Amino acid sequence: MKIATAGAVVLFSLLTAVPLASAQTMRLGQSLVFYVPELRTGVDSKAFETHVTGQVIPGWNTNIPGTHATLVRKDRGSHPGQFQLVWTTDTLARRQETAGSATFPFNVATTTRAGDFRPGLDRFVAGGRYQEYQLLAPDTVGNLPEVDVLGLHYIKVKPEQAAAFDRFVATKLHAAVGNLRPDLRLLYYKPISGDAPGNYVTVIALTKASRDKYWPKGQDSDDVKAAFGLAVTALATELQTYLVPGSWGTGMAAAVYESKDWADWVLLN
């Protein structure tokens, strides 16, 4: 009887451990660094994924305090299947400790500890681009969420309105949508370096479950219509004044809060 009970406990532990092990998430940070690789023609994408998740990411997540690296793949938006490496750093002070140059975002001390991933990627990639963003007014949004989907909306702010837009986010926008729902938050990040300096990014912080809840099969649900109620949609009129005309979304509940240039990226590790 004791043997059977012990066996049942072990079996139960193994079964219940499976979903926990596969439920990967990442906590957003005050700093985001993106690397979009250009895979070589004919490269086995699965081999690339295995290399990054097995050889590159562990060094960062073990050796660089406050910084979390992950690999994501685009599943909605243009060019689905594209990969992106993402580094989130919890505070801007910690990010300063790892910051590199205008051409490569990490310093030598950091890549020495984490491992310089660039030589190992040569056989997989022909190039790539980096982009760095910093969270606007981090004190206005509280604790940052854990997600397994990055909904990235690349918003185009008028250059002459950049400083005013930053103030708008700090005084009004984050208060309205930074904690829109416990499982649906819109967080605004400012471009710091990279090849698209005019593009801010709205991170629609989601899990797969909340994405299916709010946008089942890519369509608005009653829940998302309720989330973007009158107070939030009224603020969209002011938001438009800071954006390049015609760059925002139309026809959906989130409308101006979305962008025509967007993508959903899901975690792979």
Side-chain angles (χ1 to χ4, degrees), residues 24-41:
Q24 301 291 336
T25 61
M26 62 182 287
R27 182 176 294 279
L28 293 177
Q30 293 181 8
S31 168
L32 300 177
V33 175
F34 299 138
Y35 171 61
V36 180
E38 298 172 6
L39 295 188
R40 295 184 182 277
T41 302

Side-chain angles (χ1 to χ4, degrees), residues 34 52 74 76 108 167 199 231 240 251 256:
F34 299 138
V52 173
K74 188 187 298 185
R76 292 186 184 177
V108 173
R167 291 192 295 272
N199 288 350
Q240 288 181 30
V256 181

Side-chain angles (χ1 to χ4, degrees), residues 19 23 31 34 38 40 52 64 72 78 83 113 117 128 165 228-229 246:
S31 168
F34 299 138
E38 298 172 6
R40 295 184 182 277
V52 173
I64 310 300
V72 297
S78 61
F83 290 99
R113 285 184 291 151
F117 58 89
F165 178 73
F228 287 89

Side-chain angles (χ1 to χ4, degrees), residues 86-249:
V86 181
W87 292 266
T88 67
T89 303
D90 54 0
T91 67
L92 298 184
R94 288 222 226 210
R95 173 62 186 129
Q96 285 301 310
E97 296 173 359
T98 65
S101 66
T103 56
F104 183 67
F106 301 105
N107 57 38
V108 173
T110 300
T111 55
T112 298
R113 285 184 291 151
D116 191 342
F117 58 89
R118 291 170 291 180
L121 288 186
D122 282 346
R123 71 180 189 271
F124 298 105
V125 306
R129 64 185 187 276
Y130 294 93
Q131 185 77 44
E132 181 172 358
Y133 297 90
Q134 291 181 358
L135 179 66
L136 287 168
D139 57 330
T140 63
V141 294
N143 292 331
L144 294 175
E146 292 197 13
V147 301
D148 58 16
V149 176
L150 280 177
L152 301 183
H153 285 250
Y154 307 96
I155 60 174
K156 298 184 183 299
V157 175
K158 298 173 184 175
E160 69 277 12
Q161 290 278 50
F165 178 73
D166 293 356
R167 291 192 295 272
F168 173 61
V169 172
T171 58
K172 294 184 180 181
L173 202 53
H174 267 167
V177 298
N179 285 285
L180 188 61
R181 293 289 187 276
D183 58 350
L184 176 62
R185 301 175 64 180
L186 277 63
L187 303 169
Y188 287 81
Y189 286 76
K190 183 183 181 71
I192 299 301
S193 64
D195 58 2
N199 288 350
Y200 285 63
V201 66
T202 308
V203 176
I204 299 183
L206 294 163
T207 62
K208 292 176 185 175
S210 58
R211 185 176 67 171
D212 290 343
K213 169 185 173 182
Y214 290 111
W215 288 280
K217 298 181 180 179
Q219 301 300 312
D220 283 345
S221 67
D222 289 340
D223 286 323
V224 81
K225 291 174 183 176
F228 287 89
L230 291 178
V232 177
T233 54
L235 198 59
T237 301
E238 186 173 356
L239 174 58
Q240 288 181 30
T241 65
Y242 298 97
L243 305 180
V244 173
S247 63
W248 56 80

